[in-house]
Amino acid sequence: MKYIHFVILFICLLVLCTSPVSGVRTEAMIHYSEPAVSVQDEIFLEQGYSFKVVDMNSKSGDILIELYLNGEEVELDDNFAKEDDPVEYVRSVIEDEDDDETEVEYFILRITPKGSVKESDDVLYSTIYIEQYIDPVEEVDDYLILDKSYTLKEDSELELSALYTLEATGVDDGEVSLQLSLNGKVLKEDEVEEGEYFYYTVYSDEQPRTIFLANVKAFFETDDSITVFLKHVSLQQNSISDADGDEDLPDGIDIGVKSPVDGGLKAGRIAIISYYLDESFPEVRIMVDGDLVDSRKDVDPGMYKAVTDELDAGVHKATLMVIDDAEDTSYYSEEFSVSVNIKDNITESIIEIASSATESLGKNNSSSISGNSTDMSLPSLPSLSNVSSVLSLIVTTGVFVVFFIFFKKFG
């Protein structure tokens, strides 16, 4: 009987511990970004939220932040964001339910440092992950789509709004390849697992802006097709990307993006960003999609270059940020497209096919060697490794023969 009392006590404690967590509501995500920030940077989010990077640990990348709503500081339980302990903001809201006022908590924001720190000219930079969810109290900007659900079949295209389309190009092993396009131009393509978000964020001026978000809820497979269920789908109008192009750069500033090899900008390759300044600036930064690529201090007039990381297929934005003597910041951006590297894809496919064939043939050969006389399968070709060994033996033998004849004649 005492064991029953113990079990009941344990269940009660478990319910008491889990009830506060389960009581927090999470609405649709409306912002996700991964900007590179330094001390005193201010990041603007949706619904009037923003935060400032007050200080940063030069080793761990931990950051001290201040959160603001419509310009007024929001009190947080903990202002230190760490890689394993992010800053989170939960807002308590009084709601009327059945003529009774009830306090409901909504999860609004999570800020997580990546942990790694870059240093350039004594300035520290750290990449952070920002997740923001709808605040039911604050106004929401005009969205083309907000918190909707859709179904999307494999190898089909979903027309969203304002010439945006979403396509499921393939489903394999619990992952779906999603491709977001605008008027036929691919903006982003990524593989997303069940339960994860597919997002497209652009970086310009003083804030990252999340244009598209969709959560992959589940997959349903039949004999004929696979259906992808999407929830929390949101789409914003992007005035920068939707326009014919950015405004002309001012005289004295120029940005160009090109490939270091022939063939243009291809997925999986780096790019060279060249920028020209006709006057001096205390600080200059180059970013690609919000990620810091290059930083310089006390920059003299002239031409400079920065090298990007390997790029994915889609549309990217190179942003030049200049800080003048009055500490005013200006941003100049240039969009560029990276096409799918068909050659590399074909090569990769050939390698995969060859590897699969080698593995399969290797298993067949192993079965033959093990003396399985009951194997009635068709005879298999020799494995690629065996062929390679034979060729190496022939070449080596030929070399020895040539040396033998040479030394016999001239030795």
Side-chain angles (χ1 to χ4, degrees), residues 248-262:
D248 294 336
L249 295 174
D251 294 337
I253 293 180
D254 190 25
I255 308 172
V257 184
K258 65 179 183 179
S259 172
V261 297
D262 296 333

mmCIF file with all atom_site columns, all heavy atoms in Angstrom, residues 248-262:
data_model
loop_
_atom_site.group_PDB
_atom_site.id
_atom_site.type_symbol
_atom_site.label_atom_id
_atom_site.label_alt_id
_atom_site.label_comp_id
_atom_site.label_asym_id
_atom_site.label_entity_id
_atom_site.label_seq_id
_atom_site.pdbx_PDB_ins_code
_atom_site.Cartn_x
_atom_site.Cartn_y
_atom_site.Cartn_z
_atom_site.occupancy
_atom_site.B_iso_or_equiv
_atom_site.pdbx_formal_charge
_atom_site.auth_seq_id
_atom_site.auth_comp_id
_atom_site.auth_asym_id
_atom_site.auth_atom_id
_atom_site.pdbx_PDB_model_num
ATOM 1   N N   . ASP A 1 248 ? 19.926 53.419 -57.164 1.00 0.00 ? 248 ASP A N   1
ATOM 2   C CA  . ASP A 1 248 ? 21.309 53.528 -57.631 1.00 0.00 ? 248 ASP A CA  1
ATOM 3   C C   . ASP A 1 248 ? 22.212 53.921 -56.473 1.00 0.00 ? 248 ASP A C   1
ATOM 4   O O   . ASP A 1 248 ? 21.856 54.737 -55.620 1.00 0.00 ? 248 ASP A O   1
ATOM 5   C CB  . ASP A 1 248 ? 21.402 54.577 -58.747 1.00 0.00 ? 248 ASP A CB  1
ATOM 6   C CG  . ASP A 1 248 ? 20.651 54.131 -60.003 1.00 0.00 ? 248 ASP A CG  1
ATOM 7   O OD1 . ASP A 1 248 ? 20.479 52.907 -60.167 1.00 0.00 ? 248 ASP A OD1 1
ATOM 8   O OD2 . ASP A 1 248 ? 20.232 55.011 -60.784 1.00 0.00 ? 248 ASP A OD2 1
ATOM 9   N N   . LEU A 1 249 ? 23.393 53.316 -56.468 1.00 0.00 ? 249 LEU A N   1
ATOM 10  C CA  . LEU A 1 249 ? 24.363 53.648 -55.439 1.00 0.00 ? 249 LEU A CA  1
ATOM 11  C C   . LEU A 1 249 ? 24.827 55.085 -55.621 1.00 0.00 ? 249 LEU A C   1
ATOM 12  O O   . LEU A 1 249 ? 24.943 55.576 -56.745 1.00 0.00 ? 249 LEU A O   1
ATOM 13  C CB  . LEU A 1 249 ? 25.557 52.697 -55.519 1.00 0.00 ? 249 LEU A CB  1
ATOM 14  C CG  . LEU A 1 249 ? 25.260 51.226 -55.221 1.00 0.00 ? 249 LEU A CG  1
ATOM 15  C CD1 . LEU A 1 249 ? 26.498 50.384 -55.494 1.00 0.00 ? 249 LEU A CD1 1
ATOM 16  C CD2 . LEU A 1 249 ? 24.808 51.055 -53.791 1.00 0.00 ? 249 LEU A CD2 1
ATOM 17  N N   . PRO A 1 250 ? 25.118 55.780 -54.544 1.00 0.00 ? 250 PRO A N   1
ATOM 18  C CA  . PRO A 1 250 ? 25.577 57.170 -54.662 1.00 0.00 ? 250 PRO A CA  1
ATOM 19  C C   . PRO A 1 250 ? 26.952 57.237 -55.313 1.00 0.00 ? 250 PRO A C   1
ATOM 20  O O   . PRO A 1 250 ? 27.699 56.258 -55.324 1.00 0.00 ? 250 PRO A O   1
ATOM 21  C CB  . PRO A 1 250 ? 25.621 57.643 -53.201 1.00 0.00 ? 250 PRO A CB  1
ATOM 22  C CG  . PRO A 1 250 ? 25.791 56.405 -52.400 1.00 0.00 ? 250 PRO A CG  1
ATOM 23  C CD  . PRO A 1 250 ? 25.053 55.337 -53.145 1.00 0.00 ? 250 PRO A CD  1
ATOM 24  N N   . ASP A 1 251 ? 27.257 58.396 -55.867 1.00 0.00 ? 251 ASP A N   1
ATOM 25  C CA  . ASP A 1 251 ? 28.578 58.586 -56.464 1.00 0.00 ? 251 ASP A CA  1
ATOM 26  C C   . ASP A 1 251 ? 29.660 58.360 -55.412 1.00 0.00 ? 251 ASP A C   1
ATOM 27  O O   . ASP A 1 251 ? 29.556 58.844 -54.285 1.00 0.00 ? 251 ASP A O   1
ATOM 28  C CB  . ASP A 1 251 ? 28.699 60.003 -57.041 1.00 0.00 ? 251 ASP A CB  1
ATOM 29  C CG  . ASP A 1 251 ? 27.762 60.218 -58.219 1.00 0.00 ? 251 ASP A CG  1
ATOM 30  O OD1 . ASP A 1 251 ? 27.380 59.209 -58.834 1.00 0.00 ? 251 ASP A OD1 1
ATOM 31  O OD2 . ASP A 1 251 ? 27.410 61.381 -58.482 1.00 0.00 ? 251 ASP A OD2 1
ATOM 32  N N   . GLY A 1 252 ? 30.684 57.621 -55.797 1.00 0.00 ? 252 GLY A N   1
ATOM 33  C CA  . GLY A 1 252 ? 31.795 57.382 -54.888 1.00 0.00 ? 252 GLY A CA  1
ATOM 34  C C   . GLY A 1 252 ? 31.727 56.052 -54.182 1.00 0.00 ? 252 GLY A C   1
ATOM 35  O O   . GLY A 1 252 ? 32.657 55.694 -53.462 1.00 0.00 ? 252 GLY A O   1
ATOM 36  N N   . ILE A 1 253 ? 30.627 55.288 -54.359 1.00 0.00 ? 253 ILE A N   1
ATOM 37  C CA  . ILE A 1 253 ? 30.499 53.970 -53.746 1.00 0.00 ? 253 ILE A CA  1
ATOM 38  C C   . ILE A 1 253 ? 30.018 52.987 -54.806 1.00 0.00 ? 253 ILE A C   1
ATOM 39  O O   . ILE A 1 253 ? 29.073 53.280 -55.546 1.00 0.00 ? 253 ILE A O   1
ATOM 40  C CB  . ILE A 1 253 ? 29.523 53.983 -52.550 1.00 0.00 ? 253 ILE A CB  1
ATOM 41  C CG1 . ILE A 1 253 ? 30.114 54.818 -51.412 1.00 0.00 ? 253 ILE A CG1 1
ATOM 42  C CG2 . ILE A 1 253 ? 29.220 52.573 -52.059 1.00 0.00 ? 253 ILE A CG2 1
ATOM 43  C CD1 . ILE A 1 253 ? 29.225 54.883 -50.188 1.00 0.00 ? 253 ILE A CD1 1
ATOM 44  N N   . ASP A 1 254 ? 30.671 51.852 -54.869 1.00 0.00 ? 254 ASP A N   1
ATOM 45  C CA  . ASP A 1 254 ? 30.298 50.849 -55.864 1.00 0.00 ? 254 ASP A CA  1
ATOM 46  C C   . ASP A 1 254 ? 30.491 49.454 -55.269 1.00 0.00 ? 254 ASP A C   1
ATOM 47  O O   . ASP A 1 254 ? 31.422 49.226 -54.492 1.00 0.00 ? 254 ASP A O   1
ATOM 48  C CB  . ASP A 1 254 ? 31.156 51.003 -57.123 1.00 0.00 ? 254 ASP A CB  1
ATOM 49  C CG  . ASP A 1 254 ? 30.642 50.146 -58.260 1.00 0.00 ? 254 ASP A CG  1
ATOM 50  O OD1 . ASP A 1 254 ? 29.438 49.830 -58.253 1.00 0.00 ? 254 ASP A OD1 1
ATOM 51  O OD2 . ASP A 1 254 ? 31.437 49.772 -59.148 1.00 0.00 ? 254 ASP A OD2 1
ATOM 52  N N   . ILE A 1 255 ? 29.600 48.530 -55.625 1.00 0.00 ? 255 ILE A N   1
ATOM 53  C CA  . ILE A 1 255 ? 29.675 47.150 -55.156 1.00 0.00 ? 255 ILE A CA  1
ATOM 54  C C   . ILE A 1 255 ? 29.532 46.225 -56.359 1.00 0.00 ? 255 ILE A C   1
ATOM 55  O O   . ILE A 1 255 ? 28.674 46.444 -57.215 1.00 0.00 ? 255 ILE A O   1
ATOM 56  C CB  . ILE A 1 255 ? 28.561 46.822 -54.142 1.00 0.00 ? 255 ILE A CB  1
ATOM 57  C CG1 . ILE A 1 255 ? 28.517 47.840 -53.017 1.00 0.00 ? 255 ILE A CG1 1
ATOM 58  C CG2 . ILE A 1 255 ? 28.748 45.420 -53.570 1.00 0.00 ? 255 ILE A CG2 1
ATOM 59  C CD1 . ILE A 1 255 ? 27.324 47.654 -52.102 1.00 0.00 ? 255 ILE A CD1 1
ATOM 60  N N   . GLY A 1 256 ? 30.356 45.193 -56.409 1.00 0.00 ? 256 GLY A N   1
ATOM 61  C CA  . GLY A 1 256 ? 30.260 44.194 -57.471 1.00 0.00 ? 256 GLY A CA  1
ATOM 62  C C   . GLY A 1 256 ? 30.523 42.803 -56.928 1.00 0.00 ? 256 GLY A C   1
ATOM 63  O O   . GLY A 1 256 ? 31.344 42.620 -56.022 1.00 0.00 ? 256 GLY A O   1
ATOM 64  N N   . VAL A 1 257 ? 29.812 41.825 -57.460 1.00 0.00 ? 257 VAL A N   1
ATOM 65  C CA  . VAL A 1 257 ? 29.980 40.444 -57.030 1.00 0.00 ? 257 VAL A CA  1
ATOM 66  C C   . VAL A 1 257 ? 30.264 39.579 -58.250 1.00 0.00 ? 257 VAL A C   1
ATOM 67  O O   . VAL A 1 257 ? 29.539 39.653 -59.250 1.00 0.00 ? 257 VAL A O   1
ATOM 68  C CB  . VAL A 1 257 ? 28.719 39.910 -56.309 1.00 0.00 ? 257 VAL A CB  1
ATOM 69  C CG1 . VAL A 1 257 ? 28.960 38.501 -55.777 1.00 0.00 ? 257 VAL A CG1 1
ATOM 70  C CG2 . VAL A 1 257 ? 28.307 40.836 -55.175 1.00 0.00 ? 257 VAL A CG2 1
ATOM 71  N N   . LYS A 1 258 ? 31.311 38.772 -58.178 1.00 0.00 ? 258 LYS A N   1
ATOM 72  C CA  . LYS A 1 258 ? 31.643 37.906 -59.305 1.00 0.00 ? 258 LYS A CA  1
ATOM 73  C C   . LYS A 1 258 ? 32.288 36.621 -58.801 1.00 0.00 ? 258 LYS A C   1
ATOM 74  O O   . LYS A 1 258 ? 32.695 36.507 -57.639 1.00 0.00 ? 258 LYS A O   1
ATOM 75  C CB  . LYS A 1 258 ? 32.590 38.619 -60.260 1.00 0.00 ? 258 LYS A CB  1
ATOM 76  C CG  . LYS A 1 258 ? 33.967 38.931 -59.678 1.00 0.00 ? 258 LYS A CG  1
ATOM 77  C CD  . LYS A 1 258 ? 34.849 39.612 -60.708 1.00 0.00 ? 258 LYS A CD  1
ATOM 78  C CE  . LYS A 1 258 ? 36.253 39.866 -60.141 1.00 0.00 ? 258 LYS A CE  1
ATOM 79  N NZ  . LYS A 1 258 ? 37.132 40.506 -61.139 1.00 0.00 ? 258 LYS A NZ  1
ATOM 80  N N   . SER A 1 259 ? 32.369 35.653 -59.710 1.00 0.00 ? 259 SER A N   1
ATOM 81  C CA  . SER A 1 259 ? 33.003 34.374 -59.392 1.00 0.00 ? 259 SER A CA  1
ATOM 82  C C   . SER A 1 259 ? 34.493 34.459 -59.684 1.00 0.00 ? 259 SER A C   1
ATOM 83  O O   . SER A 1 259 ? 34.899 35.088 -60.675 1.00 0.00 ? 259 SER A O   1
ATOM 84  C CB  . SER A 1 259 ? 32.360 33.255 -60.211 1.00 0.00 ? 259 SER A CB  1
ATOM 85  O OG  . SER A 1 259 ? 33.085 32.051 -60.061 1.00 0.00 ? 259 SER A OG  1
ATOM 86  N N   . PRO A 1 260 ? 35.330 33.817 -58.865 1.00 0.00 ? 260 PRO A N   1
ATOM 87  C CA  . PRO A 1 260 ? 36.774 33.832 -59.131 1.00 0.00 ? 260 PRO A CA  1
ATOM 88  C C   . PRO A 1 260 ? 37.171 32.927 -60.300 1.00 0.00 ? 260 PRO A C   1
ATOM 89  O O   . PRO A 1 260 ? 38.308 32.968 -60.752 1.00 0.00 ? 260 PRO A O   1
ATOM 90  C CB  . PRO A 1 260 ? 37.389 33.333 -57.821 1.00 0.00 ? 260 PRO A CB  1
ATOM 91  C CG  . PRO A 1 260 ? 36.316 32.490 -57.208 1.00 0.00 ? 260 PRO A CG  1
ATOM 92  C CD  . PRO A 1 260 ? 35.014 33.125 -57.596 1.00 0.00 ? 260 PRO A CD  1
ATOM 93  N N   . VAL A 1 261 ? 36.253 32.098 -60.797 1.00 0.00 ? 261 VAL A N   1
ATOM 94  C CA  . VAL A 1 261 ? 36.531 31.200 -61.922 1.00 0.00 ? 261 VAL A CA  1
ATOM 95  C C   . VAL A 1 261 ? 35.489 31.429 -63.003 1.00 0.00 ? 261 VAL A C   1
ATOM 96  O O   . VAL A 1 261 ? 34.447 32.049 -62.784 1.00 0.00 ? 261 VAL A O   1
ATOM 97  C CB  . VAL A 1 261 ? 36.519 29.719 -61.478 1.00 0.00 ? 261 VAL A CB  1
ATOM 98  C CG1 . VAL A 1 261 ? 37.618 29.460 -60.466 1.00 0.00 ? 261 VAL A CG1 1
ATOM 99  C CG2 . VAL A 1 261 ? 35.175 29.336 -60.888 1.00 0.00 ? 261 VAL A CG2 1
ATOM 100 N N   . ASP A 1 262 ? 35.775 30.913 -64.191 1.00 0.00 ? 262 ASP A N   1
ATOM 101 C CA  . ASP A 1 262 ? 34.832 31.040 -65.295 1.00 0.00 ? 262 ASP A CA  1
ATOM 102 C C   . ASP A 1 262 ? 33.575 30.217 -65.018 1.00 0.00 ? 262 ASP A C   1
ATOM 103 O O   . ASP A 1 262 ? 33.594 29.248 -64.264 1.00 0.00 ? 262 ASP A O   1
ATOM 104 C CB  . ASP A 1 262 ? 35.483 30.582 -66.608 1.00 0.00 ? 262 ASP A CB  1
ATOM 105 C CG  . ASP A 1 262 ? 36.652 31.481 -67.006 1.00 0.00 ? 262 ASP A CG  1
ATOM 106 O OD1 . ASP A 1 262 ? 36.628 32.657 -66.602 1.00 0.00 ? 262 ASP A OD1 1
ATOM 107 O OD2 . ASP A 1 262 ? 37.568 30.995 -67.701 1.00 0.00 ? 262 ASP A OD2 1
#
